[in-house]
Amino acid sequence: MEKMWAGRFEKASDKMADDFNSSIHFDSKMYKQDIRGSMEHASMLCKVGILTEEDFGKIFAGLTGILNDIESGELAFDMNAEDIHMFIEAELTKRIGDAGKKLHTARSRNDQVALDLRLYMRDESFEVITLLKQLISVILVQAKKNTQTIMPGYTHLQRAQPITFAHHLLAYCMMFLRDVSRILDAVLRMNYSPLGSCALAGTTYPTDRDMVAEALGFDGVTMNSIDGVSDRDYCIELEAAFATVMMHLSRFSEEIILWSSWEFKFVELDDAYTTGSSIMPQKKNPDMAELVRGKTGRVYGDLMATLTMLKGLPLAYNKDMQEDKEAIFDSVETVKKCLSIFIPMIETMKAIPENMYAASKKGFINATDLADYLTKRGVPFRTAYKIVGTVVGKCVKEGITLDEVPLEEYKQYSEIFEEDLYDEISLETCIRKRISKGSTGYDSVAEEIAYVESQL
Ligand code: ARG
């Protein structure tokens, strides 16, 4: 196939160079956005008198036909084309002749690709947001089922204080809600049309950039044509937001992996989202959670690749920037896949409250409450802390729990201890008496649930 720029060249390009240069095997994903952008561009060219009604009619019908034929599978992408933009333009000209050659007036592939990627990523971002909201909803259902389920809360992976499973799960709802707002925030900043920046310097034609921007649902046009074609900040911001989603999913995965081990057995994953072993008949492995944890690295890598690709690039467009797409496509596809598997995995996960409760009984997670008991009765906190530490030390040696120490013995540590200490350090009381805003207390958790619901 003769190159569009053959006039300037004395010989054809090398086949290997062509393959190396071509991006159609990944940017063909953007065919819809490319066609939509071209339709609006042509419509604007017609309105300002650059295209005749007749040519516009042909272009519009031609592009519609191409879109339909791609969707029906009738038209296959030509893998010898340099990219999706060249492919569609060439196909259009093949179908409608000279009118097709007029489409690229007052436009360059530089602003075209910048437009297509923004349109594509805007759609994808909303898909990620929808999935995040679905995930938050299924976590919320689990939380609501487990408002009375007591488990040990951990620091340093050591049992720390009693919490409810609902409270623990709601922490993830907060993370994923922030992820939604982070993505929305990036979309808002991205939502300006670069089309009309042309190659880098704008155009001598009387174009109406605002008309195209409005038709394509943008909040306005980019204000500097050099920036319009060079800016990939939105890729970085979205990849950073997706990397953060993955980090959250990975932390959650790690907990699910721990919780479903025999050492914890706080939860049981559904058979549908686990795997067996090829040799050990007893195994039930949390592969989905492990894979999500593993894929987090790729999404971090995509962000790093884009940051590094852009570092040191002179303005304006450079071919290096073609590398933006594989990174951001991988990033968004990975995050969508991981969210999609996480949703049913969480939905079908069964909590095992008895095991959580049994673990809560061990590990002295009510020790803070025992110190608070003394403090509320006038003992300075540091003194109370030391007394309780001594009692715990003794319990560890004897292999008993704080509620198994008789009152007479407590009295030897402090006269302040009375019979009511036992109620004070019961796990239920520990939860009930957490009254601070955002705490694991029952009222606070009810407020958290209402908050998350209001955000969905
Ligand atoms: N395939 C190219 C890309 O993805 C399109 C822009 C090409 N522009 C150019 N001046 N070669 O970046």
Side-chain angles (χ1 to χ4, degrees), residues 23 27 82-83 85 109-110 113 317 319 321-322 324-325:
S23 54
D27 65 19
E82 188 185 327
D83 55 28
H85 326 293
R109 263 188 307 157
N110 297 348
V113 71
Y317 179 84
K319 193 68 178 230
M321 290 160 83
Q322 180 163 286
D324 58 0
K325 281 172 282 301

Side-chain angles (χ1 to χ4, degrees), residues 194 197 200-202 209 221-231 315:
S197 300
L200 78 161
R209 293 186 61 202
V221 299
T222 54
M223 283 300 291
N224 177 300
S225 60
I226 301 175
D227 182 51
V229 291
S230 311
D231 170 33
L315 300 179

Side-chain angles (χ1 to χ4, degrees), residues 131-169:
L131 287 168
L132 277 167
K133 288 192 170 179
Q134 286 170 10
L135 176 61
I136 296 168
S137 306
V138 298
I139 301 172
L140 194 63
V141 171
Q142 288 282 10
K144 283 178 167 172
K145 275 196 259 176
N146 286 286
T147 55
Q148 309 298 313
T149 306
I150 296 175
M151 71 182 281
Y154 293 80
T155 63
H156 312 268
L157 203 55
Q158 301 284 323
R159 290 174 197 168
Q161 290 181 341
I163 56 172
T164 61
F165 191 40
H167 191 53
H168 195 109
L169 290 171

Side-chain angles (χ1 to χ4, degrees), residues 300-314:
Y300 289 6
D302 294 327
L303 168 62
M304 247 335 118
T306 310
L307 278 169
T308 313
M309 178 274 285
L310 287 165
K311 171 184 172 297
L313 275 195

Side-chain angles (χ1 to χ4, degrees), residues 406-424:
L407 185 59
E408 311 82 71
E409 252 179 75
Y410 269 119
K411 289 268 188 202
Q412 289 166 18
Y413 293 104
S414 168
E415 270 306 316
I416 311 264
F417 283 124
E418 294 297 344
E419 190 61 40
D420 59 354
L421 81 87
Y422 296 103
D423 175 56
E424 200 71 6

Side-chain angles (χ1 to χ4, degrees), residues 5 21-24 26-27 30 82-86 108-114 117 199 232 317-325:
W5 47 74
N21 201 32
S22 168
S23 54
I24 189 140
F26 52 84
D27 65 19
M30 306 191 300
E82 188 185 327
D83 55 28
I84 186 64
H85 326 293
M86 296 292 226
S108 150
R109 263 188 307 157
N110 297 348
D111 56 341
Q112 191 180 354
V113 71
L117 192 55
R232 295 293 183 274
Y317 179 84
N318 301 268
K319 193 68 178 230
D320 314 45
M321 290 160 83
Q322 180 163 286
E323 289 287 310
D324 58 0
K325 281 172 282 301

